[in-house]
Amino acid sequence: MIIIIVTQLITSFIAAAGFGIIFNAPRQSLIQCGLIGMLGWILYYWLVEQGMNVVPATVLAAMLVGALSQICAKLYKTPIIIFIVSGIIPLVPGGSAYDAMRHFVVNDYYTAVQLSTKVMLLSGGIAIGLMFSEVVNQLIIKLIRR
Amino acid sequence: MNDPISVSMVCMLAGKITLESGAETHRVEDTMNRIASAFGLEDAQSYATPTGINFSSGPAESTNFIRISNRSTDLHKIANVNDISRKITAGEVDLPGALKLLKEVDRAKLTFPGWMQIISAAFVSGSFAFMFGGTWLNYLPAFFIGGLGFAALIGCDRFINTRFISEFLASILIGLLAFISIYCGWGSDLNKIIIGAVMPLVPGLHITNAVRDLMAGHLIAGLSKGVEAFLTAFAIGAGVAVVIGII
């Protein structure tokens, strides 16, 4: 079990930092991008292993990614989108989106519609998670300023 | 007193760079408004969609328009423009200085050269094949096929103007190579290899950005980004399906 978790940690770090390079993120923020992606993915992976449904697991992981990205954006005075994009990539339902389209093309509409609905729910879950951490961030700023 | 036309020039250049680099539309509008008010245009209006920006220095002034024809993802440019806009609001840069800095950012090349992007796409593909439940057997095939697929995408982009065609061709190549690798007994799970290898191509960012824009109330931007994501996913799915169908 520990070996699986460690390999998942390493591969998700590589995946998130690699996407940082594909998206031309600034050099000095690649490590942070990789770490945020890794932590978000490992939370998602652990929750799913514990038997949680993928949609709430995605929401919680996206909230973690959003919160960490807010902190990094404040610390390094960099736009938050840099950290969010690479951090969220492991959670994005790219695989399911591809799967859904493949089933549409081979006329298996029944599975395709099911998979598309799942893709919609998962991307909605990511958006909700990110927005929630943004709202919490704004609340904290307002409370500090008072 | 700054002349409104030059201020509009600076704002529109900043907006153009950020939008072309893949920023959210509300960030683009926010940056433009901040720059405008820092240079003394309090009532400036800006309206950005993924394909164009409108900007006027005041509600009763004439409106300037700029068209955005090619969009890519270049986070480094967004960070640079953000830095410049921070400097402008802090009063560290004057109008000609800001224009010069922004032009430099606009001309700048990609931070990472193509070969480095291809290598990282290869690592991304291998890692995703593993993360989505494949075994180590599938790491190497996904690594090479993902790298080659991304290289094909970059190569096709140079000759073909329509991005969806390049994605279609790249995913045909991925499907073919994945099938060949399974046929030769290299790698164990066709689906995992293909999913890993297409990960650098899939429009994950567009899907998420589209939903975020929709929820932020930017309905037109959200819908058009959603359509872009849908077309990309369709091109990839169709490319792989062509291979599966023929074989």
Side-chain angles (χ1 to χ4, degrees):
Chain A
M1 186 64 196
I2 291 173
I3 296 172
I4 296 176
I5 293 279
V6 169
T7 43
Q8 291 282 344
L9 283 172
I10 295 170
T11 45
S12 55
F13 180 87
I14 293 172
F19 254 101
I21 294 179
I22 294 178
F23 287 155
N24 283 300
R27 255 165 235 263
Q28 60 270 22
S29 43
L30 281 181
I31 303 271
Q32 292 91 309
C33 293
L35 281 176
I36 293 173
M38 181 181 89
L39 293 171
W41 171 256
I42 214 66
L43 178 67
Y44 167 85
Y45 188 81
W46 183 72
L47 288 174
V48 172
E49 286 283 296
Q50 299 296 311
M52 196 187 243
N53 194 343
V54 283
V55 177
T58 304
V59 174
L60 289 174
M63 274 163 58
L64 179 68
V65 169
L68 292 172
S69 306
Q70 302 273 5
I71 295 170
C72 279
K74 284 266 144 39
L75 275 181
Y76 300 102
K77 291 215 175 12
T78 314
I80 187 169
I81 188 171
I82 290 171
F83 302 109
I84 285 190
V85 163
S86 344
I88 218 73
I89 273 293
L91 304 172
V92 163
S96 311
Y98 146 77
D99 243 8
M101 283 327 295
R102 202 190 49 157
H103 280 97
F104 269 122
V105 177
V106 295
N107 284 333
D108 183 3
Y109 298 116
Y110 186 71
T111 324
V113 171
Q114 274 185 342
L115 283 169
S116 319
T117 316
K118 202 172 139 199
V119 170
M120 284 301 294
L121 280 175
L122 288 172
S123 31
I126 291 175
I128 289 171
L130 291 179
M131 284 205 334
F132 189 79
S133 61
E134 250 161 64
V135 168
V136 169
N137 180 45
Q138 283 167 4
L139 279 179
I140 292 175
I141 289 179
K142 271 188 188 156
L143 283 179
I144 289 175
R145 279 197 187 148
R146 250 171 45 176
Chain B
M1 184 60 202
N2 290 307
D3 141 46
I5 295 175
S6 337
V7 178
S8 308
M9 285 271 290
V10 170
C11 289
M12 294 189 66
L13 187 55
K16 174 177 162 274
I17 298 170
T18 40
L19 202 53
E20 277 180 349
S21 314
E24 317 100 295
T25 45
H26 65 89
R27 173 182 301 283
V28 174
E29 291 176 3
D30 188 49
T31 310
M32 290 166 74
N33 288 344
R34 273 168 201 263
I35 294 177
S37 75
F39 284 135
L41 297 181
E42 291 298 339
D43 286 331
Q45 303 287 317
S46 58
Y47 175 67
T49 69
T51 45
I53 304 175
N54 285 307
F55 182 83
S56 83
S57 44
E61 305 293 325
S62 61
T63 302
N64 304 292
F65 174 76
I66 196 164
R67 172 146 177 84
I68 308 293
S69 44
N70 55 334
R71 292 175 302 282
S72 58
T73 312
D74 190 343
L75 300 177
H76 197 212
K77 283 189 180 174
I78 300 179
N80 281 344
V81 173
N82 186 59
D83 269 353
I84 294 170
S85 101
R86 267 174 206 274
K87 279 183 191 155
I88 291 172
T89 18
E92 291 170 18
V93 185
D94 60 345
L95 196 57
L99 193 61
K100 195 166 153 262
L101 283 176
L102 284 171
K103 277 187 176 157
E104 268 168 31
V105 174
D106 195 22
R107 271 197 304 265
K109 286 192 181 135
L110 297 174
T111 327
F112 297 104
W115 60 268
M116 213 186 243
Q117 292 192 341
I118 291 169
I119 291 175
S120 58
F123 275 107
V124 166
S125 308
S127 304
F128 270 110
F130 183 78
M131 280 157 69
F132 289 152
T135 51
W136 285 114
L137 268 182
N138 302 315
Y139 191 96
L140 272 185
F143 180 91
F144 285 111
I145 295 168
L148 285 173
F150 196 76
L153 177 71
I154 292 182
C156 288
D157 255 356
R158 290 206 178 139
F159 301 107
I160 303 171
N161 281 330
T162 322
R163 188 163 174 91
F164 305 114
I165 305 286
S166 320
E167 273 148 1
F168 182 68
L169 293 176
S171 56
I172 286 184
L173 181 75
I174 287 174
L176 268 179
L177 289 176
F179 188 80
I180 291 170
S181 77
I182 292 287
Y183 189 76
C184 301
W186 197 45
S188 60
D189 191 337
L190 181 69
N191 260 335
K192 294 286 183 293
I193 293 176
I194 291 182
I195 287 184
V198 296
M199 257 333 257
L201 313 181
V202 294
L205 169 65
H206 287 300
I207 297 176
T208 317
N209 249 355
V211 180
R212 281 190 81 191
D213 265 339
L214 278 177
M215 285 189 171
H218 289 234
L219 300 179
I220 293 180
L223 281 183
S224 42
K225 274 182 193 162
V227 169
E228 196 175 9
F230 175 80
L231 282 174
T232 310
F234 181 77
I236 296 169
V240 176
V242 163
V243 177
I244 293 174
I246 290 173
I247 295 167

